[in-house]
Amino acid sequence: GNVGSSGVVKNVTVAGTVTGDYDGYFGGVCGMNYGSIVNCTNTCAIFGDYSGIYFGGVCGCNRGSIINCANSGSVGPLDEGFDIYIFGGVCGFLETGSLINCTNSGTISSGPYSMDFGGVCGLCVEGQIINCTNSGNISGAYASGEFGGVCGNVDYMCSLINCTSSGAIVTGEDNYSFGGVCGVNCYDNSIIANCYYDSTLTGDMEGVGDDAGSSDVPGLPTEQMTAVSGTENALVDLLNNYIDTENLEDCYHWAKTTDGYPYIAETTYKVTVNASENGNIFVPSGYMDPDAAVAVTVVPDVDYVLKNLKYNDGTDKDITEAKSFTMPEANVTVTAEFIQSATDISEATTEAVNAPVYNGGEAIAPDDFNITVTLLDGTVLSRDAYTISFYPDVNCTSGTEVAVITDAG
């Protein structure tokens, strides 16, 4: 039905099927919204009858606010031969309203000659789509157009900010105006900022199909879209840094698993990685939700090994062996220490280069000790003048007798 300007629909999950025709607004939670829809989820399949218009997974037409909502139901024509118009995963028509922290994972498919459809929204006029994401696949039938990963048609004075699409976009014969994020940007007074799409899935498709503005909408390969925090230009960092830099207070931060795409997480705590000398450590995201498994990737520099790995949520906890922990309900700091590794000596003729000497498990700096080797003929060798090797290949302690092989040349 219709949610009035003072109305609030909150914490609702809807299942079933919704079918609409050419006259009205149709959605899983409501048809028309002037108020607020918060924390709602639609799992209904939404079907449009012949020449139907205004369909959305959560709402058909939104002139209010839709916040923290999700759709997993498919949205498309009742029959593959039916043309339908202005439909999307979360909202069909966004008119002067806002979509914030919303997610679509449902499939979006069109009939022939359909227009204005997208993963999150079909058509936006004077609206805001902020911090939203689509992972559903989108397909355009014969001669359909103006469709995109996040929004089909960004019309007059719209904002499309900090959004992503990781779904495949399948085009058909005589399709037009389609893009990885947006099908068409009609006016140069609209803003499309910090939005990304998976270029591995979309090939050479542009971020915006037809652009009347000067939008910078880069496609990122899957490897970069799913990269862990700290990796150069990792998507999860691009999204979270934008929220922090632009002070987007209503936006949730993005979290991720080690291999997956970033997702919008309602409650997160910050993970700070201390810069480490002689190596690097990486976590999936700079923000994680409580109870999430946090795998820590350790990458020592050449000739270095990990000595210890810890995280601190108020107290130090050692994870050197586990290299993972469960995210607590607190901000944490992860710290690693690296030490130089000893050069392996597998035979008497192997040359040992820059191998540290250990005393009680601690590496001794080269200037803190002297090695004197006396040959059988009485010649004394200094460590700076000759190559000195030890045999057998064992860890030696003070007082241990070893054979010494030298190259006096």
Side-chain angles (χ1 to χ4, degrees), residues 3-8 32-37 62-66:
V3 178
S5 59
S6 60
V8 178
M32 168 68 77
N33 175 50
Y34 291 93
S36 299
I37 302 175
N62 178 46
R63 292 173 183 165
S65 60
I66 299 178

Short mmCIF file of all heavy atoms in Angstrom, two decimals, residues 3-8 32-37 62-66:
data_model
loop_
_atom_site.label_atom_id
_atom_site.label_comp_id
_atom_site.label_asym_id
_atom_site.label_seq_id
_atom_site.Cartn_x
_atom_site.Cartn_y
_atom_site.Cartn_z
N VAL A 3 2.71 4.31 2.25
CA VAL A 3 3.23 4.76 3.54
C VAL A 3 3.23 6.29 3.52
O VAL A 3 3.89 6.92 2.68
CB VAL A 3 4.65 4.24 3.80
CG1 VAL A 3 5.18 4.77 5.13
CG2 VAL A 3 4.68 2.72 3.79
N GLY A 4 2.49 6.90 4.44
CA GLY A 4 2.36 8.35 4.47
C GLY A 4 3.61 9.04 4.97
O GLY A 4 4.57 8.41 5.44
N SER A 5 3.60 10.38 4.92
CA SER A 5 4.79 11.17 5.23
C SER A 5 5.25 11.01 6.67
O SER A 5 6.42 11.19 6.98
CB SER A 5 4.53 12.64 4.92
OG SER A 5 3.43 13.13 5.67
N SER A 6 4.34 10.68 7.59
CA SER A 6 4.72 10.46 8.98
C SER A 6 4.81 8.97 9.32
O SER A 6 5.03 8.60 10.48
CB SER A 6 3.72 11.15 9.92
OG SER A 6 2.41 10.63 9.73
N GLY A 7 4.63 8.13 8.33
CA GLY A 7 4.62 6.70 8.56
C GLY A 7 6.01 6.10 8.63
O GLY A 7 6.95 6.59 7.99
N VAL A 8 6.15 5.04 9.41
CA VAL A 8 7.41 4.31 9.53
C VAL A 8 7.12 2.82 9.45
O VAL A 8 6.27 2.31 10.19
CB VAL A 8 8.13 4.62 10.86
CG1 VAL A 8 9.41 3.80 10.97
CG2 VAL A 8 8.44 6.10 10.99
N MET A 32 3.98 2.69 -2.60
CA MET A 32 4.42 4.07 -2.59
C MET A 32 4.85 4.45 -1.18
O MET A 32 4.15 4.15 -0.20
CB MET A 32 3.29 5.00 -3.05
CG MET A 32 3.53 6.48 -2.80
SD MET A 32 4.85 7.18 -3.83
CE MET A 32 3.96 7.34 -5.39
N ASN A 33 6.01 5.12 -1.05
CA ASN A 33 6.51 5.52 0.26
C ASN A 33 6.78 7.03 0.29
O ASN A 33 7.55 7.56 -0.50
CB ASN A 33 7.80 4.78 0.61
CG ASN A 33 8.41 5.27 1.91
OD1 ASN A 33 7.72 5.35 2.92
ND2 ASN A 33 9.70 5.59 1.88
N TYR A 34 6.12 7.71 1.25
CA TYR A 34 6.42 9.11 1.55
C TYR A 34 7.13 9.23 2.91
O TYR A 34 7.60 10.30 3.26
CB TYR A 34 5.12 9.92 1.62
CG TYR A 34 4.42 10.10 0.30
CD1 TYR A 34 3.42 9.22 -0.10
CD2 TYR A 34 4.75 11.16 -0.55
CE1 TYR A 34 2.75 9.39 -1.31
CE2 TYR A 34 4.10 11.34 -1.76
CZ TYR A 34 3.10 10.45 -2.14
OH TYR A 34 2.44 10.62 -3.34
N GLY A 35 7.15 8.14 3.67
CA GLY A 35 7.71 8.17 5.01
C GLY A 35 9.07 7.52 5.09
O GLY A 35 9.97 7.81 4.31
N SER A 36 9.22 6.58 6.04
CA SER A 36 10.50 5.91 6.27
C SER A 36 10.31 4.40 6.28
O SER A 36 9.41 3.88 6.96
CB SER A 36 11.11 6.35 7.60
OG SER A 36 11.36 7.73 7.61
N ILE A 37 11.18 3.71 5.56
CA ILE A 37 11.24 2.25 5.60
C ILE A 37 12.63 1.90 6.09
O ILE A 37 13.63 2.27 5.46
CB ILE A 37 10.97 1.64 4.22
CG1 ILE A 37 9.61 2.08 3.69
CG2 ILE A 37 11.04 0.12 4.28
CD1 ILE A 37 9.33 1.61 2.28
N ASN A 62 9.54 5.68 -4.34
CA ASN A 62 9.97 6.20 -3.05
C ASN A 62 10.13 7.72 -3.11
O ASN A 62 10.95 8.24 -3.88
CB ASN A 62 11.29 5.57 -2.62
CG ASN A 62 11.79 6.13 -1.30
OD1 ASN A 62 11.02 6.27 -0.35
ND2 ASN A 62 13.07 6.46 -1.24
N ARG A 63 9.37 8.43 -2.28
CA ARG A 63 9.52 9.87 -2.12
C ARG A 63 9.90 10.20 -0.68
O ARG A 63 9.86 11.36 -0.28
CB ARG A 63 8.22 10.58 -2.51
CG ARG A 63 7.94 10.47 -4.00
CD ARG A 63 6.58 11.01 -4.38
NE ARG A 63 6.34 10.82 -5.82
CZ ARG A 63 5.14 10.94 -6.39
NH1 ARG A 63 4.08 11.22 -5.65
NH2 ARG A 63 5.01 10.77 -7.69
N GLY A 64 10.25 9.18 0.09
CA GLY A 64 10.70 9.35 1.47
C GLY A 64 12.11 8.81 1.61
O GLY A 64 12.99 9.11 0.80
N SER A 65 12.32 7.99 2.62
CA SER A 65 13.65 7.41 2.84
C SER A 65 13.54 5.90 3.03
O SER A 65 12.63 5.40 3.68
CB SER A 65 14.32 8.03 4.07
OG SER A 65 13.54 7.81 5.24
N ILE A 66 14.47 5.20 2.41
CA ILE A 66 14.61 3.75 2.59
C ILE A 66 16.03 3.53 3.10
O ILE A 66 17.00 3.84 2.40
CB ILE A 66 14.36 2.98 1.28
CG1 ILE A 66 12.94 3.25 0.78
CG2 ILE A 66 14.58 1.49 1.48
CD1 ILE A 66 12.61 2.57 -0.54
#
